[in-house]
Amino acid sequence: MTGSTRHPLSLSLAPAETGTAVAEPYGPRSLWLVDAATQGPAALGLAPAVLDDREKRRAAAFRRDGDRRCYVTAHVALRVLLGAHLGTEPGGVRLVAEDCPSCAGPHGRPAAADAALHFSLSHSQDLVLLAFARSPVGVDVEALLPPDAVDDVAAELHPRETAELAALPPHARPVALARAWVRKEAYLKGLGIGLAHGIAGDYVGTGRSPGPAPPGWSVADVAVPAGFAAAVAEAR
């Protein structure tokens, strides 16, 4: 991965890279990785001045310190980066929910009010992934499942993906399953409907490179530490 970048408010963030290129910071699309284990103390210190009331209530509701730390780090980083993209103070960014494409309810893709900028956020354990783009975008990062949990989840995938996993030796299945899962969830988050859409209908593949992307979208894997898988999907 590329080196980290020091941002205003003393938060150190690292640009992420896909399988083909490093996304240019603040360009048409940018990807960022944040380690909540190292950046958590700084983020927790910044949170009172940066997060809005809803985010503060959500953070306070977590029972585990590690979950609270990851949530706060993710949302402080989101606001720092949104502020840098939009040329405003992080605490001044107003976040809203777009209408849901499925039911038109006010719980669709998160957005920055009155801004022509799309973003997506995902976190797993202490790893946070964020994306910013000029068109709808989704990201997902997940820790690998243990081998004995793979079969149950594999049954929910596209039939071709389920067959691909069944053909692999057991030790190779967790990584392959995670690749398919994050590609699907990134795409569904980009659509703004999440897993309610189901994950069996779209084939994205379990191999080292994504399969054909759904029409109108691009899907790419994101380089993350061992033990995780991540992907980004963007409307074309």
Side-chain angles (χ1 to χ4, degrees), residues 175-188:
V175 173
L177 170 65
R179 291 186 193 121
W181 186 275
V182 296
R183 293 165 186 168
K184 286 175 184 287
E185 187 156 358
Y187 165 60
L188 295 175

Side-chain angles (χ1 to χ4, degrees), residues 66-109:
D67 294 336
R68 183 181 303 107
R69 177 184 66 200
C70 191
Y71 175 86
V72 169
T73 302
H75 283 258
V76 168
L78 172 66
R79 286 180 166 277
V80 167
L81 289 164
L82 280 172
H85 275 279
L86 301 175
T88 188
E89 292 297 320
V93 176
R94 187 166 67 90
L95 300 178
V96 298
E98 296 178 345
D99 291 340
C100 173
S102 297
C103 68
H107 49 258
R109 187 171 42 228

Side-chain angles (χ1 to χ4, degrees), residues 26-41:
Y26 314 121
R29 182 184 74 188
S30 67
L31 296 169
W32 300 86
L33 284 174
V34 188
D35 180 357
T38 60
Q39 297 303 308

Side-chain angles (χ1 to χ4, degrees), residues 214-229:
W217 287 79
S218 63
V219 178
D221 293 338
V222 178
V224 287
F228 294 88

Side-chain angles (χ1 to χ4, degrees), residues 105-184:
H107 49 258
R109 187 171 42 228
D114 305 318
L117 177 69
H118 299 268
F119 67 85
S120 183
L121 179 156
S122 179
H123 52 81
S124 179
Q125 297 180 5
D126 276 325
L127 189 62
V128 178
L129 176 63
L130 304 103
F132 303 84
R134 295 174 184 168
S135 59
V137 65
V139 292
D140 190 48
V141 59
E142 302 286 347
L144 304 189
L145 289 175
D148 60 2
V150 168
D151 289 345
D152 289 341
V153 179
E156 302 177 28
L157 301 179
H158 188 282
R160 285 177 60 191
E161 293 160 346
T162 301
E164 290 171 4
L165 288 170
L168 294 173
H171 72 271
R173 291 174 187 165
V175 173
L177 170 65
R179 291 186 193 121
W181 186 275
V182 296
R183 293 165 186 168
K184 286 175 184 287

Side-chain angles (χ1 to χ4, degrees), residues 198-217:
I199 61 173
D202 300 291
Y203 174 80
V204 294
T206 65
R208 293 182 179 275
S209 298
W217 287 79

